[in-house]
Amino acid sequence: MAKFINPFTDIGFKRIFGQEISKPLIIDFLNSLMEGEEHIEDITFLDKEQPALYEDDRSLIYDIYCRTERGHNIIVEMQNKSQPYFKNRSIYYVSEAIARQGERGSSWQYAIDAVYLVAFLNFSPIDFDKKFRTDVTLTDKETHKMFSDKVRMTFMQLPLFDKEADNCDNDFDKWIYVLKNMETLTRLPWAAKSSVFQRLEQIADVASLTKRERMKYDEGLRKYRDTLSVLEGAKQDGLAEGRALGHAMGHAEGLAEGRAEGRQEGLAEGRQEGLAEGRAEGANSEKQDTVNRLLAAGTSIDVIAIATGLSKEEVEKLIK
């Protein structure tokens, strides 16, 4: 049994980032994420989660919704598997959080607060650039200046984070390393020197769970592993089907290419043979005309043979 909880489960993720006792953890993480841009002093957890978009969505995707002391809304999300229209879904989620701020009546002047989406991706979407972190903002296409600070989306492709503990030289890297490797660690590397990671070590310790929490966590872990197993099985089936289809298509293409090459070779050989036969027939016709002219002049067969280089038998065959 692992010492620390798996943060890729719903219960594990929300235990680390989504409870009052863990506020210092999510604040520290968000500050490390936006270092040099913003600094968060406090957050308030909001009760309403983003709704699931399809059946069993909660086994793959779960989120925490909170608001900073400055009124910025932040959705922190963990996604374990891609889905069709993933980018559109992310835009929809952010747009929905903005639209919910609307008020009826002419007195409302579209005073909206910023909405940030922070997404941990336990996979690499095929339509994303192959880099660990992607930050999306509203900017002017030509000048690259900020058009509005009301929308921001940050995506972190965890499979593309390849740093080891010794190479993590800032708090953000340390957070990502711990989250990615937590289930296999026996201790957190920086707990002795950091009060934040010391608290994380305590909160994430499986032994700290109550009996009820442990039962719920074990059930969530089983669902998480079952879901990934089913998805991996579907992936392998897809690969096998793709290979079979590719083999069949390759075989058919090979036959077609072979036939085409055969036709070309046959045409080339036919042309060569036809030219050779044509030349031979032309030469025979020319020799026959010569023989006929010499005969008409009263030349003997022996002399004709010498003049044409043919044998007497060949001359006799050409005589009409």
Side-chain angles (χ1 to χ4, degrees), residues 156-204:
M156 293 162 287
Q157 300 179 62
L158 296 179
L160 300 185
F161 183 84
D162 56 4
K163 290 187 177 182
E164 297 297 329
D166 293 340
N167 303 122
C168 296
D169 51 9
N170 57 59
D171 288 341
F172 178 69
D173 285 349
K174 293 175 182 177
W175 265 108
I176 301 302
Y177 174 83
V178 167
L179 291 173
K180 183 177 179 179
N181 297 284
M182 180 174 288
E183 196 180 22
T184 63
L185 297 174
T186 56
R187 64 179 184 84
L188 298 193
W190 303 282
K193 298 181 179 180
S194 168
S195 59
V196 169
F197 285 105
Q198 186 176 34
R199 182 186 289 258
L200 175 61
E201 189 174 55
Q202 295 169 351
I203 289 175

Side-chain angles (χ1 to χ4, degrees), residues 24-248:
L25 301 183
I26 189 171
I27 291 173
D28 186 82
F29 170 75
L30 291 173
N31 281 332
S32 71
L33 176 79
M34 296 182 284
E35 186 175 9
E37 302 175 47
E38 291 195 30
H39 184 77
I40 300 170
E41 295 290 342
D42 193 18
I43 61 169
T44 302
F45 290 110
L46 303 180
D47 292 335
K48 187 174 181 180
E49 292 184 332
Q50 301 288 65
L53 292 186
Y54 60 90
E55 188 177 359
D56 291 334
D57 193 17
R58 287 293 127 196
S59 66
L60 300 175
I61 303 164
Y62 21 90
D63 50 33
I64 296 162
Y65 200 16
C66 59
R67 192 193 313 275
T68 71
E69 76 280 2
R70 295 176 57 193
H72 294 172
N73 301 285
I74 302 179
I75 304 167
V76 184
E77 184 175 83
M78 175 68 75
Q79 300 210 24
N80 283 314
K81 187 64 178 178
S82 186
Q83 60 176 274
Y85 316 113
F86 171 69
K87 289 182 179 179
N88 290 349
R89 173 193 176 279
S90 300
I91 295 170
Y92 177 84
Y93 263 32
V94 172
S95 301
E96 187 181 47
I98 292 174
R100 284 205 299 264
Q101 300 177 40
E103 297 178 6
R104 293 185 177 182
S106 59
S107 60
W108 184 62
Q109 301 298 316
Y110 298 94
I112 60 174
D113 296 319
V115 175
Y116 296 165
L117 172 66
V118 178
F120 295 96
L121 309 182
N122 199 17
F123 59 95
S124 291
I126 58 175
D127 56 347
F128 272 50
D129 290 337
K130 297 308 176 186
K131 60 177 184 174
F132 162 61
R133 177 172 172 171
T134 298
D135 288 276
V136 180
T137 59
L138 295 178
T139 60
D140 184 285
K141 184 176 180 180
E142 181 179 358
T143 65
H144 303 292
K145 290 183 178 179
M146 183 73 72
F147 177 76
S148 172
D149 62 355
K150 300 302 182 182
V151 173
R152 171 177 177 156
M153 295 185 289
T154 299
F155 302 94
M156 293 162 287
Q157 300 179 62
L158 296 179
L160 300 185
F161 183 84
D162 56 4
K163 290 187 177 182
E164 297 297 329
D166 293 340
N167 303 122
C168 296
D169 51 9
N170 57 59
D171 288 341
F172 178 69
D173 285 349
K174 293 175 182 177
W175 265 108
I176 301 302
Y177 174 83
V178 167
L179 291 173
K180 183 177 179 179
N181 297 284
M182 180 174 288
E183 196 180 22
T184 63
L185 297 174
T186 56
R187 64 179 184 84
L188 298 193
W190 303 282
K193 298 181 179 180
S194 168
S195 59
V196 169
F197 285 105
Q198 186 176 34
R199 182 186 289 258
L200 175 61
E201 189 174 55
Q202 295 169 351
I203 289 175
D205 193 333
V206 173
S208 68
L209 299 174
T210 65
K211 183 177 181 180
R212 180 178 176 80
E213 289 172 337
R214 179 60 182 272
M215 291 176 63
K216 293 178 67 175
Y217 170 68
D218 288 343
E219 177 63 16
L221 184 61
R222 183 189 64 77
K223 288 182 178 179
Y224 163 75
R225 289 172 175 169
D226 287 349
T227 298
L228 292 191
S229 179
V230 170
L231 292 171
E232 181 61 25
K235 176 182 176 181
Q236 293 302 322
D237 289 344
L239 287 172
E241 184 177 343
R243 291 190 187 101
L245 179 60
H247 179 76

